[in-house]
Amino acid sequence: MTTHEPQRRFDPASYEQKWRERWEADHLYAADDDDTKPKRYILTMYPYPSGDLHIGHWYAMTGPDIVARMHRMQGDNVMFPMGFDGFGLPAENAAIDRGIHPATWTSSNIDTMRRQMRLMSASFDWAREVVTCDPEYYRWQQWLFLKLYEAGLAYKAMGAVDWCPKDKVVLAREQVEGTERRCWRCGTQVEKRDLEQWWFRITNYSDELLNFDGLDYPEPIKAMQTNWIGRSEGAEIDFRPEADDVEPIRVFTTRPDTVFGATFMVLAPEHPLVATLTTDDRRADVDQYVAAARRETEIERMSTEREKTGVFIGAYAINPMTDERIPIWIADYVLPGYGTGAIMAVPAHDERDYEFATRFDLPIRYVVAPASGELPEGAALVEHSDDEILIDSGEFSDMPASEAIGAITHALEERGQGSIAVSYRQRDWVAGRQRYWGCPIPIVYCDEHGAQPVPDDQLPVVLPTDVDFASTGVSPLQSHAIFLNATCPLCGGPARRETDTMDTFVDSSWYFLRFCSPHATNVAFDRAKVDEWMPIHLYTGGSEHAVMHLMYFRFFTKALRDLGLLGFDEPTLRLRNQGQILGADRQRMSKSRGNVQAPDDLVSRYGADTVRAFLMFIGPWDQGGPWNPSGIDGIHRWLGRVWGAAEPSQRDLARSASRTDVPGTSEELDRALRRVTHSTIAAVGDDYADFGFNTAIAKLMELTNAIIRTREAGQASGAAYAEAVDTLLLLLAPVAPHIAEELWARRGHEYSIHRQPWPTADPTLAASDTIELPVQVDGKLRDRLVVMVDTSTEEIERLALASEHVQRYLAGRAPMRVIQVPGKLVNVVTPRD
């Protein structure tokens, strides 16, 4: 059967490179826009070109590659593209630290990573590659920005922003991590600054982003996005300050039924009315407190363990339901980014307010109580019950609290002092950066006409190459005279170009659309092709992007839909997150920690197939774990056994023809092997689809063992053996593409194995010859029977009654009856005494 040269030794180095070159030359993995086969778009998050792929990249990419390969064999027209997230701070920091231009550093790293991806034989369609720092790409990003700007979804405004003092750049709230509020990129503790910034109005879509109907997302991702958006239902209430010509102080509360217990107000130190309402005699103390609060982290301010601090600003407001005059304080436990930045303090029913009132001797008034009337001593009543009622609440006293929420809100609405409201934790996305290496924002500023969009025919606004990369806290573009000088598109007069660049998460918020028509020169993406390929059928990547990229790309899709550019609501229907491969020290792999495992050395020693299979065998793909290469030799030996099974020696074949001492008939051996073969087909396909790669490989190992047992029994020349080996290679091809291709060719089959149909399981052949039946006595398990599948009900009853465990309970009596659920169980009912 073998038609190639007689090679018996398993040597990946002798064939892996050969097949990689042929696959690429043949464009084996290219998706065809015009193919009539069902289209399937599979995408894994593109990498940042940091320099080298480490083993964690292989782990993340190999999983979806297996699924893409399987779907091609199952008859789908699969698009599995790859690109590079070319802009970003590391490239600019490298320019500062090493004197290398960001474009040079990025291009060199892309070349390295592209070579390494080819080494791992991920079946990417390289003809669709996009690189976000290419003007051909960001020209259309600028065009999309202007569409959002025209629709009011991109805007510039002053705001308190998070500032990284090391990278000297503004961060989006989602890019501030941990309890100490550190920069997601460099780990430096961030600061608050008031700056004019570019924003995307993502909050317009908060409610829609909370809707996951029809989306197959991991539950943790849905929970993280839901918590980040932080939707709360309640009421907004206006408290009128005593000062003249000052707007009301608006608060949001989920418990408007407690408004009668509001005995003071607290503003965030950053609240815009603090400066207006503070009296002259209190201003020095207030200013000092405000300055101190702005130096604290949110975690410090929200801590329940530290003593409450605050300052009375000298002003009062009127409680809209009691008409009482209540003092206005500032305190750092009220944050400007939550609710309205102001609260009505109800110390009897809020622990923080209670601590504050106790510290500063402010009134505490209970207005909600259980039906029993029992109130806590020396504490706030925060444990609510279904039977609680209002007390000391005027006309609403004795009303159930559940009814009072709506009734009081309605009363406030009638007075024009409140309304039903919804509050969100989410804030708009800070989308501008004060750095060079990013997509320029296509806006110019004219002294007469203000901010103006750059006309389409002048796009792209290209980054200049000759800039000073010193990190100063302002964009290096601000000192580049040629870049700065622009022309107003309205009057033709002089204008100044915007020097902020876009957050790199903007680049990844639409790259999946560009893959559908990566070489289009007259549109950002071909709408007809996007409609054919999208939404993405399967998207994979890290869960660390839950409230950044994975939320931003949903927002962009919905915004572009509303602009009439897209015809669907979500970018992907199915999301899967890989676990993280940690260094041997159980820390995240990074060059600075010195714990990175480079794949190239492993490939040169074991071959790419072994590395791929070992990574997928480590454990559940969504869990990851610390890198430990101790098991890789076992995977290499297994692939060597696959080689031996597919290439039986002449001695094996001769033994198959001559042996007469084989236990069992050849028909029985063939039937047993076919049963393992067809049960493996069904199981492995399901495992691949569910990302259960470790269990799929375990089943392939079992099939390998069954094949070798059959060979050792002298059955290496039969049809069942050939079918089993060919099936093993077809099922193995997505995991170990090189050895599968090599052995497929050596067995005389048509090129390429990756274009062959996926094997189909025959349920009758996969079925076992025997079944195990639980035997119950009066509904309780007492024994088990192993019988042939075609055993008659009479014989099953005879065997069950013959069981010594059953006889013990019958005690010599005849059963009242014997109940059989065919193929499931036997239940013996004993006679009643």
Side-chain angles (χ1 to χ4, degrees):
M1 188 175 188
T2 300
T3 60
H4 284 236
E5 72 280 2
Q7 175 190 344
R8 299 299 169 205
R9 191 169 67 89
F10 169 51
D11 179 19
S14 68
Y15 58 80
E16 287 196 345
Q17 182 62 26
K18 170 189 69 175
W19 288 117
R20 283 195 290 269
E21 291 174 356
R22 180 165 182 186
W23 295 332
E24 187 156 348
D26 293 345
H27 304 289
L28 190 68
Y29 308 122
D32 185 351
D33 291 331
D34 299 322
D35 197 315
T36 57
K37 292 186 292 187
K39 288 181 169 60
R40 185 171 293 271
Y41 187 178
I42 297 174
L43 183 63
T44 190
M45 295 179 188
Y46 64 0
Y48 181 79
S50 56
D52 289 288
L53 292 182
H54 57 65
I55 211 69
H57 292 103
W58 274 53
Y59 185 78
M61 294 176 184
T62 300
D65 180 55
I66 291 171
V67 178
R69 288 176 176 277
M70 179 184 70
H71 278 293
R72 288 193 192 95
M73 296 173 73
Q74 290 176 336
D76 289 339
N77 179 17
V78 174
M79 180 168 68
F80 187 43
M82 179 47 64
F84 296 94
D85 192 10
F87 280 132
L89 281 173
E92 190 166 342
N93 288 340
I96 297 170
D97 297 339
R98 308 172 199 175
I100 304 172
H101 194 282
T104 303
W105 189 84
T106 300
S107 178
S108 174
N109 290 346
I110 287 175
D111 288 343
T112 298
M113 296 177 76
R114 196 186 286 123
R115 175 189 62 79
Q116 291 179 313
M117 287 184 196
R118 286 185 164 95
L119 183 66
M120 70 180 287
S121 286
S123 59
F124 297 130
D125 182 354
W126 285 106
R128 294 178 181 267
E129 179 188 88
V130 299
V131 180
T132 61
C133 59
D134 186 335
E136 291 184 6
Y137 180 87
Y138 70 72
R139 176 255 188 275
W140 293 108
Q141 183 162 306
Q142 292 171 348
W143 183 83
L144 291 172
F145 178 93
L146 292 178
K147 294 300 176 186
L148 296 173
Y149 178 71
E150 292 166 7
L153 293 173
Y155 66 97
K156 197 170 190 180
M158 286 292 295
V161 296
D162 293 305
W163 174 266
C164 175
K166 178 180 179 182
D167 289 330
K168 294 183 170 58
V169 67
V170 168
L171 303 174
R173 288 184 67 202
E174 297 86 347
Q175 294 165 344
V176 179
E177 296 182 338
T179 58
E180 296 183 342
R181 289 178 43 78
R182 295 186 178 276
C183 172
W184 75 289
R185 177 74 73 181
C186 69
T188 303
Q189 196 165 43
V190 304
E191 303 170 352
K192 281 287 186 184
R193 288 193 180 184
D194 290 323
L195 296 172
E196 189 176 30
Q197 289 295 317
W198 282 100
W199 309 74
F200 284 135
R201 216 177 291 277
I202 192 173
T203 52
N204 280 19
Y205 294 87
S206 294
D207 278 328
E208 199 175 346
L209 290 170
L210 287 169
N211 183 1
F212 297 94
D213 291 348
L215 300 185
D216 182 5
Y217 274 34
E219 288 301 322
I221 298 295
K222 292 192 284 188
M224 283 188 277
Q225 292 196 1
T226 298
N227 293 336
W228 182 260
I229 293 169
R231 187 181 193 275
S232 299
E233 296 183 357
E236 286 185 342
I237 304 175
D238 289 341
F239 286 72
R240 179 175 52 81
E242 284 188 331
D244 295 333
D245 300 324
V246 177
E247 63 189 58
I249 302 172
R250 178 160 294 179
V251 303
F252 173 82
T253 177
T254 58
R255 294 298 303 264
D257 54 315
T258 64
V259 65
F260 284 85
T263 57
F264 58 99
M265 297 194 74
V266 183
L267 308 183
E270 301 88 346
H271 194 287
L273 287 180
V274 170
T276 302
L277 293 173
T278 299
T279 57
D280 292 341
D281 61 315
R282 304 297 304 155
R283 191 165 303 280
D285 290 343
V286 168
D287 289 348
Q288 182 178 3
Y289 188 86
V290 169
R294 291 178 68 88
R295 290 192 296 268
E296 297 174 324
T297 68
E298 287 189 9
I299 298 302
E300 289 172 334
R301 291 172 63 165
M302 295 292 288
S303 173
T304 58
E305 298 177 359
R306 61 190 301 217
E307 187 177 49
K308 292 290 179 289
T309 63
V311 174
F312 174 51
I313 68 172
Y316 293 83
I318 305 301
N319 184 318
M321 294 304 292
T322 66
D323 290 330
E324 291 178 285
R325 183 173 182 258
I326 59 176
I328 303 173
W329 290 66
I330 58 171
D332 58 8
Y333 74 88
V334 178
L335 302 177
Y338 292 81
T340 64
I343 66 166
M344 63 175 200
V346 185
H349 302 289
D350 182 277
E351 289 180 339
R352 297 179 309 162
D353 295 347
Y354 184 90
E355 293 173 18
F356 193 90
T358 302
R359 169 85 193 278
F360 294 104
D361 197 24
L362 296 166
I364 299 173
R365 180 187 303 144
Y366 293 94
V367 292
V368 177
S372 64
E374 295 182 10
L375 295 171
E377 293 185 11
L381 175 66
V382 295
E383 296 295 332
H384 296 290
S385 58
D386 292 338
D387 65 348
E388 63 188 15
I389 60 174
L390 266 60
I391 60 175
D392 293 335
S393 297
E395 63 187 282
F396 301 97
S397 295
D398 298 326
M399 180 180 288
S402 58
E403 296 179 18
I405 291 175
I408 291 177
T409 302
H410 180 68
L412 288 165
E413 286 179 329
E414 289 187 331
R415 300 182 185 191
Q417 294 177 303
S419 62
I420 296 173
V422 176
S423 179
Y424 300 88
R425 179 180 183 269
Q426 185 181 39
R427 293 294 176 263
D428 280 344
W429 171 10
V430 183
R433 298 292 180 268
Q434 296 68 49
R435 299 301 292 261
Y436 162 75
W437 192 236
C439 175
I441 293 175
I443 297 290
V444 298
Y445 299 94
C446 172
D447 289 342
E448 182 177 351
H449 298 104
Q452 293 297 321
V454 173
D456 289 356
D457 61 5
Q458 295 180 24
L459 299 178
V461 176
V462 179
L463 282 174
T465 58
D466 52 337
V467 296
D468 180 2
F469 296 110
S471 183
T472 62
V474 297
S475 172
L477 297 174
Q478 289 194 15
S479 58
H480 195 286
I482 296 176
F483 179 82
L484 283 173
N485 291 332
T487 302
C488 174
L490 291 184
C491 66
R496 180 179 59 83
R497 199 176 298 281
E498 172 63 70
T499 57
D500 282 4
T501 54
M502 296 184 208
D503 181 4
T504 52
F505 279 106
V506 181
D507 309 353
S508 57
S509 291
W510 74 283
Y511 79 115
F512 51 92
L513 298 168
R514 185 68 178 174
F515 279 135
C516 297
S517 50
H519 308 299
T521 58
N522 59 341
V523 288
F525 45 83
D526 185 312
R527 174 67 183 272
K529 292 180 179 179
V530 166
D531 288 344
E532 290 177 357
W533 284 106
M534 292 204 58
I536 301 165
H537 296 85
L538 171 66
Y539 193 44
T540 68
S543 60
E544 67 271 18
H545 297 291
V547 297
M548 290 187 286
H549 166 62
L550 289 174
M551 187 172 289
Y552 296 153
F553 88 142
R554 294 183 66 207
F555 156 65
F556 245 69
T557 299
K558 296 174 189 299
L560 297 183
R561 174 206 62 198
D562 289 348
L563 295 178
L565 298 175
L566 294 177
F568 47 87
D569 301 328
E570 293 284 350
T572 185
L573 302 177
R574 187 181 184 213
L575 172 70
R576 289 295 178 267
N577 302 125
Q578 78 272 2
Q580 193 171 84
I581 296 297
L582 305 175
D585 57 0
R586 295 182 176 270
Q587 299 294 315
R588 183 172 181 173
M589 282 190 182
S590 70
K591 291 180 181 178
S592 62
R593 292 192 180 100
N595 63 353
V596 170
Q597 172 62 60
D600 295 41
D601 294 341
L602 294 172
V603 172
S604 64
R605 180 176 177 185
Y606 295 103
D609 286 339
T610 296
V611 179
R612 286 169 59 101
F614 174 63
L615 285 169
M616 295 300 97
F617 195 58
I618 285 175
W621 186 77
D622 62 350
Q623 295 182 21
W627 170 252
N628 183 350
S630 61
I632 197 168
D633 287 299
I635 292 292
H636 194 63
R637 287 193 297 271
W638 166 55
L639 292 179
R641 297 176 77 225
V642 170
W643 183 276
E647 288 268 282
S649 66
Q650 293 299 319
R651 183 171 58 184
D652 291 329
L653 297 174
R655 183 169 56 181
S656 296
S658 63
R659 288 197 64 169
T660 59
D661 59 341
V662 178
T665 66
S666 61
E667 290 80 8
E668 289 173 343
L669 291 170
D670 285 353
R671 186 167 61 249
L673 182 56
R674 281 199 164 104
R675 182 169 60 250
V676 176
T677 299
H678 284 267
S679 62
T680 303
I681 292 171
V684 168
D686 290 342
D687 283 350
Y688 283 168
D690 293 336
F691 283 71
F693 308 118
N694 59 323
T695 55
I697 292 172
K699 294 178 177 71
L700 294 177
M701 290 176 174
E702 292 172 4
L703 177 56
T704 306
N705 292 338
I707 292 170
I708 290 174
R709 285 195 301 270
T710 303
R711 184 193 67 190
E712 292 175 346
Q715 290 289 106
S717 60
Y721 189 90
E723 178 193 15
V725 171
D726 287 348
T727 299
L728 173 61
L729 297 180
L730 289 165
L731 298 177
L732 179 63
V735 174
H738 308 87
I739 188 174
E741 187 78 275
E742 176 70 11
L743 290 173
W744 188 257
R746 293 179 67 80
R747 290 176 62 78
H749 294 311
E750 179 185 4
Y751 171 84
S752 157
I753 192 173
H754 303 295
R755 288 177 173 165
Q756 303 308 308
W758 188 253
T760 303
D762 185 333
T764 60
L765 293 176
S768 175
D769 292 339
T770 61
I771 56 173
E772 184 179 77
L773 295 175
V775 179
Q776 300 176 342
V777 177
D778 294 331
K780 295 184 178 180
L781 180 65
R782 301 302 182 188
D783 202 356
R784 296 180 184 274
L785 292 177
V786 177
V787 297
M788 298 297 291
V789 172
D790 56 359
T791 303
S792 67
T793 56
E794 293 80 6
E795 178 64 9
I796 291 173
E797 180 174 327
R798 187 190 70 76
L799 292 170
L801 294 178
S803 165
E804 63 180 48
H805 300 291
V806 173
Q807 284 296 322
R808 184 182 307 130
Y809 291 94
L810 286 173
R813 300 168 297 172
M816 178 178 292
R817 62 180 181 275
V818 178
I819 303 169
Q820 292 191 44
V821 179
K824 299 293 185 181
L825 62 84
V826 181
N827 184 30
V828 177
V829 182
T830 61
R832 297 173 181 169
D833 295 333

